[in-house]
Amino acid sequence: MSVDLPIRKIIHVDMDAFYASVEQIDNPDLKGKPIAVGGGGKRGVISAASYEARKFGVKSAMSGNLAAKLCPELIFVKPHFERYTEISKKIRKIFYDYTDLVEPLSLDEAYLDVTENKKGNPSASLIAKEIRERIFNEVGLTASAGISINKFVAKIASDYNKPNGQKIVNPEEVISFLEDLDIRRFYGVGKVTAEKMYQQGIFTGKDLKTKSIEYLGAHFGKSGRYYYYVVRGIHRGEVKPNRIRKSLAAERTFSENLSSEVFMLEKLEHIAAEISRRLNKSKVAGKTVTLKIKYSDFTLQTRSKTLPYFLSDKSIILETAKDLLYQERLNNSVRLLGISISNLNTETKKKPEHKSVSVQLKFGF
Amino acid sequence: MKFIVSSTYLLKQLQVLGGVINSSNTLPILDNFLFELDHDKLTVSASDLETTMASSLDVDSESKGSVAIPARLLLDTLKTFPEQPLTFIVEENNIVEISSNHGKYALAYANGNEFPKAVALDNPSTTVIKGDVLATAISKTIFAAGNDDLRPVMSGVFFQFSTEGLTFVATDAHKLVKYTREDVKANQVAEFIMPKKPLNLLKGILASSDEDVTIEYNDSNAKFTFENSELICRLIDGKYPNYEAVIPKENPNKLFIDRTQFLNSVRRVSIFSNKTTHQIRLKIAGAELNISAEDIDYSNKAEERLTCDYQGDDMQIGFNSRFLTEMLNNLSADQVQLEMSMPNRAGILTPIDGLDEGEHITMLVMPVMLNS
């Protein structure tokens, strides 16, 4: 089947081991050594690992303990988020020299739509090369890029020649590229989905293609139908500049499991302060407060409450989180607490005709 | 039945009583004043069934009787007379004839028996309070009472009497006033909710009155007796909300400020506020109070800065400026204190000076949440 889609030129730029590389340029002693950002302390989780550390099997989201076992020489470095943000901004500036259609996914990743670009350069591949060179020259970091006709393929492609490489999947190659692709590399397919797909005899894009949309819908729901289209090179996701933030969250894993609520309150206070600071910094406020509780047996619980007004104030966040904490007895000792704020006023801010809402509060009787 | 009375003396009493009469009555007899004559004592009553008020006047008479005379007509006539004696003669043909220096006026009357009788209070408890103290208690609280038909209890003022003192509370769920007199005590604990209408009447009559007012009350009615008058009213039935529970206990942020200065700023700035929310923002940092308002729809904006005495963390809180103005206006202190805990918790306004010994006023106002 063929669907007429405008052919776009999308670049997915992904920084190589971003946090770790920033630490290495800031502290030359760390150059060439296996380092892990975060993961210090008893139960920290690694945010990023340098390529030297990755050779030992150290990965992000791995516990510090396990990483240290895999790589005894591993150096743990405290994260410096302000620094990452600063560098990320510099990199974004480079992107904007080429196009305004930049969709940052995180500090170290972004989609660029260069179909029409400021340089008038028809070759997305050359633009990607130039961008990577400029990033290296201006901030001293390497980046990888994937270039293709849609975000889905570009993102997969950026992983192909990592680190410090790029991969182009030309329009005529897209179909065969996807057919040959291991199902696990499809964006959105994790361990569980992959397992399920294997059981249905789906190992590659080609296998996926043999299945009907009804079949995929029945087995994998909404995402099944999504796979049906993407494997045919159809992905309509546009590059959306300025992603609208949907929520803001912070959490803490404790060095010891907590069972006393008094200690938890103290932790909640820190988390609430951080969230409030970040909300105020990005000038947003939200109505829904969600408390995330991970118990010592790793079971996860979330409790949330929606208020009739937007909040960003630390004291109100803390109070609402407290209410949620006391709402029900805790099942077990707690290893992690987190607060997230959603239902943000970013949606309404976009529409100027939307009147500002202010709410007269009442006494609770 | 015949009596002679001073025109201005009668008018003065009837004007007060006229406040009881509703402008439109389903029961036509309630459009009348009840005149009950017992020799030289004339008792005039007015009622709306909920509230009945009676005053006794000294007249010149030797007869007895009871008639109901149209209130509007009588008041309109009396208003026009300069001071002079008037003679009322009740004729058998259902006509009252009034003779003045100028001429004669005839009004149709109804039989006094048709007028509803005021309820008699069974086993009342009694508390005595000075007229002006009661008037002050009413005027300090009544503005905060609500108008919500769905919550009738909040449309009145809560009287809470105890051996420790008397407390009067009014709230509309957005603002709340608690007025306490520790210098006046009841001999037993009692609680009842007074409707606004009789309180407004009492407030008018008793302001600057040095006389004692005797308050008798039971579960369903209250009776106020003073000078030559008595007012009996039905109480609002229901349970008053637990207002103590909503008074924040810990208020680490305290603002001390000149009341007039604060009030004037709030008034000015509020002109620029949104016309539906009347929202103003208070931003307090260090010794500076920043009051601002904005009406985005019309691009109106105002901001003022005041020096204040502030203890606590920097904070930002929004209020409905009308509530704040009403409250500040109702106080007479030079200095006031505004205590706050959080932007979503009630602010507590209290006067610093100008109170009598044993007199306490606590005003609460719920904030308007800021949207950014």
Side-chain angles (χ1 to χ4, degrees), chain B residues 227-245:
Chain B
E227 294 173 74
N228 56 349
S229 302
E230 60 177 46
L231 180 149
I232 301 170
C233 68
R234 194 179 296 167
L235 300 172
I236 296 177
D237 193 26
K239 194 171 156 31
Y240 204 74
N242 180 10
Y243 68 89
E244 288 287 357

Side-chain angles (χ1 to χ4, degrees), chain A residues 283 285 307 309-313 315-316 319-320 345 349 355-365, chain B residues 151 154 171 173-176 241 246 277 279 297 320 323 342-345 364 366-371:
Chain A
K283 295 196 169 58
L307 297 166
Y309 46 84
F310 291 107
L311 56 100
S312 62
D313 190 88
S315 49
I316 304 177
E319 222 206 14
T320 314
N345 57 1
K349 260 188 188 167
K355 275 191 187 168
S356 67
V357 198
S358 64
V359 189
Q360 169 68 56
L361 303 186
K362 290 189 171 195
F363 293 119
F365 47 59
Chain B
R151 298 286 297 270
M154 293 207 288
T171 181
H174 298 136
K175 53 188 186 295
L176 184 148
V246 302
T277 64
Q279 183 186 16
D297 303 344
N320 181 324
F323 296 161
M342 285 194 240
N344 66 343
R345 286 289 182 80
L364 263 68
M366 283 303 276
V368 173
M369 283 307 289
L370 303 174
N371 196 20

Side-chain angles (χ1 to χ4, degrees), chain B residues 145-326:
Chain B
N147 293 311
D148 188 355
D149 293 337
L150 297 173
R151 298 286 297 270
V153 291
M154 293 207 288
S155 69
V157 176
F158 185 46
F159 283 47
Q160 216 175 9
F161 289 1
S162 83
T163 50
E164 244 94 275
L166 311 185
T167 299
F168 305 84
V169 182
T171 181
D172 63 355
H174 298 136
K175 53 188 186 295
L176 184 148
V177 181
K178 176 186 176 190
Y179 181 82
T180 305
R181 296 296 301 214
E182 283 167 354
D183 53 341
V184 190
K185 295 173 170 61
N187 43 28
Q188 63 217 24
V189 174
E191 295 182 344
F192 53 90
I193 307 167
M194 277 290 294
K196 262 196 243 178
K197 184 176 170 182
L199 288 180
N200 271 322
L201 290 168
L202 289 168
K203 184 177 86 170
I205 303 164
L206 297 172
S208 70
S209 151
D210 214 17
E211 302 266 338
D212 279 338
V213 178
T214 306
I215 311 175
E216 293 165 87
Y217 42 87
N218 61 16
D219 288 343
S220 51
N221 294 279
K223 180 171 165 184
F224 296 75
T225 311
F226 46 93
E227 294 173 74
N228 56 349
S229 302
E230 60 177 46
L231 180 149
I232 301 170
C233 68
R234 194 179 296 167
L235 300 172
I236 296 177
D237 193 26
K239 194 171 156 31
Y240 204 74
N242 180 10
Y243 68 89
E244 288 287 357
V246 302
I247 303 178
K249 299 288 175 291
E250 274 176 45
N251 300 287
N253 305 317
K254 292 181 167 60
L255 169 78
F256 301 90
I257 195 161
D258 183 277
R259 182 183 65 92
T260 324
Q261 207 186 5
F262 189 26
L263 176 60
N264 288 339
S265 282
V266 169
R267 272 199 182 130
R268 262 192 307 274
V269 169
S270 68
I271 298 170
F272 294 82
S273 67
N274 180 291
K275 294 291 166 282
T276 45
T277 64
H278 305 279
Q279 183 186 16
I280 57 161
R281 294 174 189 210
L282 308 185
K283 221 185 282 177
I284 318 147
E288 188 179 275
L289 167 65
N290 178 305
I291 307 173
S292 64
E294 192 174 9
D295 190 348
I296 296 164
D297 303 344
Y298 297 95
S299 301
N300 295 336
K301 214 169 163 178
E303 184 181 335
E304 287 199 16
R305 282 162 195 213
L306 294 178
T307 334
C308 63
D309 185 357
Y310 183 65
Q311 300 162 6
D313 299 332
D314 291 359
M315 75 178 289
Q316 227 193 95
I317 188 164
F319 287 115
N320 181 324
S321 56
R322 284 190 311 172
F323 296 161
L324 217 49
T325 314
E326 275 179 309

Side-chain angles (χ1 to χ4, degrees), chain A residues 28-44:
Chain A
D29 290 347
L30 299 173
K31 262 206 183 120
K33 294 191 179 143
I35 71 161
V37 176
K42 268 192 192 164
R43 286 175 152 173

Side-chain angles (χ1 to χ4, degrees), chain A residues 344-355:
Chain A
L344 301 180
N345 57 1
T346 41
E347 304 282 338
T348 49
K349 260 188 188 167
K350 284 268 149 193
K351 304 172 201 148
E353 75 273 20
H354 196 97
K355 275 191 187 168

Side-chain angles (χ1 to χ4, degrees), chain A residues 262-358:
Chain A
V262 181
F263 290 124
M264 292 182 210
L265 288 183
E266 196 191 314
K267 304 291 179 190
L268 281 181
E269 188 167 350
H270 291 301
I271 302 171
E274 184 186 330
I275 291 208
S276 169
R277 188 178 53 74
R278 283 165 51 194
L279 285 170
N280 289 327
K281 206 172 154 196
S282 32
K283 295 196 169 58
V284 291
K287 284 184 176 174
T288 305
V289 179
T290 305
L291 178 70
K292 174 175 166 186
I293 304 165
K294 197 189 250 178
Y295 292 107
S296 48
D297 60 1
F298 285 87
T299 52
L300 193 69
Q301 204 179 47
T302 56
R303 303 172 178 177
S304 64
K305 186 172 175 182
T306 300
L307 297 166
Y309 46 84
F310 291 107
L311 56 100
S312 62
D313 190 88
K314 179 198 149 190
S315 49
I316 304 177
I317 296 172
L318 179 61
E319 222 206 14
T320 314
K322 242 190 226 176
D323 288 348
L324 290 169
L325 182 67
Y326 286 117
Q327 180 179 295
E328 219 179 295
R329 264 182 61 102
L330 295 165
N331 306 338
N332 209 326
S333 59
V334 172
R335 82 175 259 124
L336 172 149
L337 282 177
I339 302 176
S340 90
I341 306 291
S342 51
N343 229 329
L344 301 180
N345 57 1
T346 41
E347 304 282 338
T348 49
K349 260 188 188 167
K350 284 268 149 193
K351 304 172 201 148
E353 75 273 20
H354 196 97
K355 275 191 187 168
S356 67
V357 198
S358 64

